[in-house]
Amino acid sequence: MQKRWLIGGLTLAAVMLSGCHSLTGWGGDALRTEAVVKSAHEPGCEEDSCANVNAAYLRFPESPRLSAELERRLFGLASGLSDSPDGNAMGQATSFDAFADQVFAASRRAREDVPQLPGYEADLKAHVVADHDDLLVIELDGYLYSGGAHGLPLTSYMVIERDTQQIVDLADMLRPGKRPAYEAALERAHRRWLQTDQASGLSKSQWPFVVSDNVAPLADAVAVKYQVYDLAPYAVGQPVLTIPYADLEGIFRPRYLP
């Protein structure tokens, strides 16, 4: 009889343990990502001037909310392609298909004015650049071409807390009243960058320092990535200023310091 109870107890424990493992956060990763790869060619178009849209990004199988927000931010990078009165219609798509349709429509309108204009190109990517101290950092990249000599690269960071699964930005990371101290630390990082080969020959008067909130708390330092033309000419690319965590003591909340 005692042996039968023991076997029954072990069986029940195994069933309960199996059920627990099926729950999000037990033995799994609530912020697990999966790759999403999509592409679309302008329908009904067979010429060199056709528009194309490509995307290689991520989704969160356990969090439709985060998946939707990542897509919103990724497609939002394309707002610069829009020539509508509000200036943001192109960046308001919430699905790949809707985004592609907007790009195709904008490309067709542009060809009506300039028939020889090449088709629009939109290449969007998202990938994990850091996963440490319960922070997941994703870089969202876009390359948008709407005619002219070259396209426009754009980058934005998406920082997620693992324990709360909330997206945080610079304002969340800063201690109260420490915004000026952050800007001073960033300006020191800019002075260091001016001594690098990438910034060689830049005129400080023509390309002065500007503040950016596009921050990524990486494992060894905070990276602040700028868009082209923010700190330097297009040929320089997208400068990245690096702030050591030691410079952010007393400025960042302890939660965001390693």
Side-chain angles (χ1 to χ4, degrees), residues 82-84 90 102 104-114:
S82 175
D83 57 0
S84 63
M90 185 65 72
Q102 288 182 342
F104 298 151
S107 187
R108 285 193 294 269
R109 288 195 300 269
R111 290 201 305 271
E112 290 175 358
D113 296 332
V114 185

Side-chain angles (χ1 to χ4, degrees), residues 150-172:
H150 49 67
L152 181 67
L154 294 164
T155 299
S156 177
Y157 291 116
M158 182 173 173
V159 182
I160 308 171
E161 289 187 335
R162 281 193 168 278
D163 53 352
T164 65
Q165 297 181 35
Q166 295 300 310
I167 300 169
V168 296
D169 57 20
L170 176 63
D172 300 308

